[in-house]
Amino acid sequence: MREAVIWTLIGDNMYLPLAVLILLLDIILCVTVIFLERKNPPVALAWLLAFIVFPVFGFILYMFFGRHLYGARIFSKKTEADIIYKTIAQEQLTEWLEYHDNALDAEGFEKTAALLLKADDAILSENNEVSLFTDGEEKFSEMKSAILQAKHHIHIEYFIIRDDELGREIVSLLAQKAAEGVLVRAIFDAAGTFRIRKKQFFSPITKAGGDVRIFFPLKIPFLNTRLHFRNHRKILVIDGQTGFIGGFNIGDEYLGKGRLGYWRDTHLKIKGTAVASLQRRFIMDWNYAAPNARLFVTAEENEYFPDTLLEEYGTSKVQIASSGPDSPDKAIYSGYLSLIGQAKKSVYIHTPYFIPDEPIYTALLLAAESGVDVRIVIPSKPDHPFVYWANHSYLGDLLEAGVRGYTYNDGFIHSKASIFDGRAASVGTANWDIRSFKLNFETNAFVYDKTLCETMQEAFLTELETNCTEITPAIYANRRILVRIKEGVSRLMSPLL
């Protein structure tokens, strides 16, 4: 196809310069990708295929979605600022760690806890009360109640907020608290708020004295090469004492009012020392998004890290781990690998996007072949068609190894929750896909609590019986030719998704 396009252009002399230009650009891009993506051969091969088959469209696609080679350089200043702030905030967290005489007791997953501590300074705190939410109505009701109770500050960081009934209600509540004198700081991602008239939509908050910042703004509408490196985090911290983290964004669709129907997700409310780690994460992101209004609070300034966090709220052990293109250590990704490797009985995964790289794929395969009960739930309906068919392709390949795959039928499953041996769990914003592993800014809570994890495991297994359909090897082998083609094409393009 590539040769046909170029030779057609060459056949007419007036298009000869254009044909030569396309050919040169094609060669330059091929060489660029080969050398710059040499550490990631699957991505390089996928882009080479796109350039060869679609020389013009491939170039456009690369300009929009392929320029993710420079994340470390783009966010180098953020990395430097994060390191400075981590050093300051760590003083307070270290005091609390010593206060609890924490010995990395993590329900048999001590190696994961040690890895996360090393990779992301993820303090393991042990005095937390963790509440679980899987329904949007319940989660947002609790979130709105927490906002209304704020006395000193509200720190909110979300990937998406919609200009709809729920989005406007949250904005109104934040504006109300700002008018009362509460310090309201908000971060929303540029891509996640792309369709919003931001100045007008957020004006109630800013007019009331709050501060709203857009993370990594998109410079040129409809022609943008900054679509990668999105802030996919969903964090809310109230007065430094109550924290929320999970998969729900802010909008009516997350209440089940969108085209995909009921929205099944997982979110946590945390009270205890782990909230300090959520606070630290927010402040580091705030200092990047708001360079003219940075926060560098010290251990003595307890408005943001109150001593009340030392109270005994509960017994859940929690680590807050983050990763992104600004960090060389992919803490969440490494945490997933570590949890799979240490699991002895079961690995249960909810994910809307299942596009594993080779290490994750191999780890799941080996776990299943070693007798570990590995079960993965993906959506039964697509929100992104290419991703949907890639999901099925990767999951289908694992079935022969003994992995059991399911589709969630009661609406759309967006949950990023995983349970290991009924003793450890990861809940947060990171999907099981390459984008979350390497390109997006993500934050997960790693929870070590036998009681909570067994509750999550029982709910997981119950849902398999009531709301899911199993994809057996026989069913997968009998899929139609058209489905096989869709899966094959999506699988080839999966490193780019």
Side-chain angles (χ1 to χ4, degrees):
M1 183 181 294
R2 168 177 169 274
E3 289 78 5
V5 171
I6 293 174
W7 284 112
T8 298
L9 293 173
I10 291 176
D12 190 329
N13 289 335
M14 66 180 295
Y15 292 113
L16 181 58
L18 179 58
V20 172
L21 178 61
I22 292 174
L23 185 59
L24 287 174
L25 286 174
D26 214 20
I27 293 171
I28 291 170
L29 283 175
C30 286
V31 172
T32 299
V33 168
I34 288 171
F35 280 97
L36 294 182
E37 285 282 14
R38 63 188 182 278
K39 294 182 181 179
N40 196 337
V43 174
L45 290 173
W47 279 117
L48 290 176
L49 179 65
F51 297 151
I52 292 170
V53 177
F54 308 107
V56 178
F57 179 69
F59 171 76
I60 297 172
L61 194 68
Y62 181 78
M63 294 304 295
F64 274 81
F65 298 102
R67 299 175 65 193
H68 61 268
L69 304 169
Y70 311 105
R73 180 176 62 80
I74 292 173
F75 296 106
S76 60
K77 290 184 178 179
K78 183 181 189 305
T79 304
E80 293 170 4
D82 284 1
I83 291 172
I84 293 171
Y85 183 69
K86 273 186 179 181
T87 302
I88 296 172
Q90 202 77 1
E91 296 175 17
Q92 182 77 76
L93 296 179
T94 301
E95 289 178 13
W96 290 345
L97 186 67
E98 292 172 351
Y99 175 86
H100 284 284
D101 193 27
N102 195 310
L104 289 182
D105 177 11
E107 296 287 346
F109 289 86
E110 285 76 22
K111 290 183 179 179
T112 299
L115 182 152
L116 294 174
L117 180 62
K118 182 178 181 180
D120 191 49
D121 293 321
I123 298 294
L124 177 63
S125 62
E126 58 184 12
N127 65 321
N128 301 286
E129 175 188 289
V130 180
S131 303
L132 178 70
F133 299 94
T134 61
D135 176 78
E137 292 284 355
E138 294 177 356
K139 180 264 179 178
F140 285 107
S141 175
E142 191 71 16
M143 175 179 168
K144 287 182 282 188
S145 176
I147 290 173
L148 287 171
Q149 294 176 45
K151 298 293 190 295
H152 181 264
H153 67 269
I154 298 171
H155 289 165
I156 183 169
E157 176 176 6
Y158 267 76
F159 175 52
I160 291 173
I161 184 169
R162 304 289 192 203
D163 185 359
D164 55 23
E165 184 177 353
L166 179 61
R168 289 189 290 271
E169 183 180 5
I170 295 298
V171 167
S172 177
L173 289 176
L174 295 174
Q176 175 185 328
K177 299 306 293 186
E180 293 174 7
V182 173
L183 297 170
V184 175
R185 298 181 179 92
I187 306 170
F188 297 104
D189 185 75
T193 56
F194 183 72
R195 296 181 180 179
I196 290 178
R197 294 181 178 178
K198 299 176 184 59
K199 187 174 182 180
Q200 176 182 342
F201 181 71
F202 293 121
S203 63
I205 300 174
T206 55
K207 287 180 179 178
D211 198 345
V212 179
R213 302 298 173 119
I214 302 302
F215 191 93
F216 200 40
L218 301 174
K219 291 183 175 180
I220 308 173
F222 309 113
L223 183 61
N224 211 292
T225 60
R226 294 163 64 94
L227 293 175
H228 279 307
F229 313 125
R230 302 326 316 171
N231 187 345
H232 199 233
R233 294 167 180 151
K234 294 101 177 164
I235 294 172
L236 173 65
V237 178
I238 305 293
D239 291 340
Q241 301 184 75
T242 302
F244 290 79
I245 181 174
F248 283 102
N249 285 296
I250 301 172
D252 289 347
E253 66 191 283
Y254 307 102
L255 295 172
K257 299 178 182 180
R259 63 179 179 84
L260 295 173
Y262 179 74
W263 196 272
R264 170 65 171 86
D265 219 321
T266 305
H267 224 89
L268 302 179
K269 175 186 174 184
I270 302 173
K271 294 183 74 69
T273 314
V275 178
S277 295
L278 283 176
Q279 182 80 290
R280 184 182 65 173
R281 176 71 271 160
F282 175 88
I283 292 175
M284 286 189 287
D285 291 343
W286 176 262
N287 288 345
Y288 170 76
N292 60 338
R294 289 180 174 175
L295 285 171
F296 284 104
V297 295
T298 66
E300 289 74 32
E301 297 179 65
N302 289 326
E303 297 92 347
Y304 298 100
F305 297 95
D307 289 335
T308 53
L309 287 177
L310 294 174
E311 297 173 6
E312 295 297 331
Y313 292 96
T315 57
S316 294
K317 303 175 182 70
V318 180
Q319 285 178 292
I320 303 298
S322 299
S323 58
D326 59 333
S327 59
D329 296 313
K330 307 301 181 186
I332 297 175
Y333 171 78
S334 299
Y336 282 166
L337 280 170
S338 178
L339 288 168
I340 296 169
Q342 290 185 78
K344 297 177 177 63
K345 297 179 180 179
S346 59
V347 174
Y348 298 151
I349 298 171
H350 278 159
T351 181
Y353 312 124
F354 182 65
I355 303 178
D357 64 359
E358 192 63 30
I360 291 286
Y361 179 91
T362 302
L364 291 169
L365 184 147
L366 291 176
E369 290 183 338
S370 300
V372 176
D373 181 16
V374 180
R375 307 194 193 197
I376 302 172
V377 180
I378 61 174
S380 64
K381 56 183 69 174
D383 64 335
H384 301 295
F386 278 103
V387 176
Y388 173 81
W389 293 113
N391 279 353
H392 282 262
S393 175
Y394 282 104
L395 186 55
D397 280 359
L398 287 170
L399 299 181
E400 291 297 330
V403 173
R404 298 179 68 179
Y406 300 80
T407 57
Y408 182 83
N409 302 324
D410 187 22
F412 185 76
I413 189 159
H414 189 254
S415 170
K416 302 96 166 53
S418 310
I419 312 132
F420 304 84
D421 287 352
R423 291 178 174 273
S426 178
V427 176
T429 66
N431 298 303
W432 288 71
D433 68 351
I434 295 169
R435 181 166 294 278
S436 282
F437 295 156
K438 298 181 180 180
L439 299 179
N440 286 341
F441 293 88
E442 309 280 5
T443 298
N444 277 30
F446 289 79
V447 183
Y448 314 96
D449 182 329
K450 186 173 182 289
T451 301
L452 177 66
C453 292
E454 283 184 347
T455 299
M456 292 177 65
Q457 179 169 285
E458 289 172 10
F460 181 95
L461 293 172
T462 299
E463 281 188 326
L464 294 187
E465 298 295 327
T466 58
N467 296 330
C468 299
T469 299
E470 184 168 4
I471 309 170
T472 65
I475 290 174
Y476 186 72
N478 290 326
R479 66 200 188 282
R480 293 176 298 148
I481 294 295
L482 181 59
V483 171
R484 294 171 186 261
I485 293 172
K486 289 179 179 178
E487 287 185 7
V489 172
S490 299
R491 179 72 169 260
L492 282 172
M493 304 303 292
S494 63
L496 315 182
L497 297 177

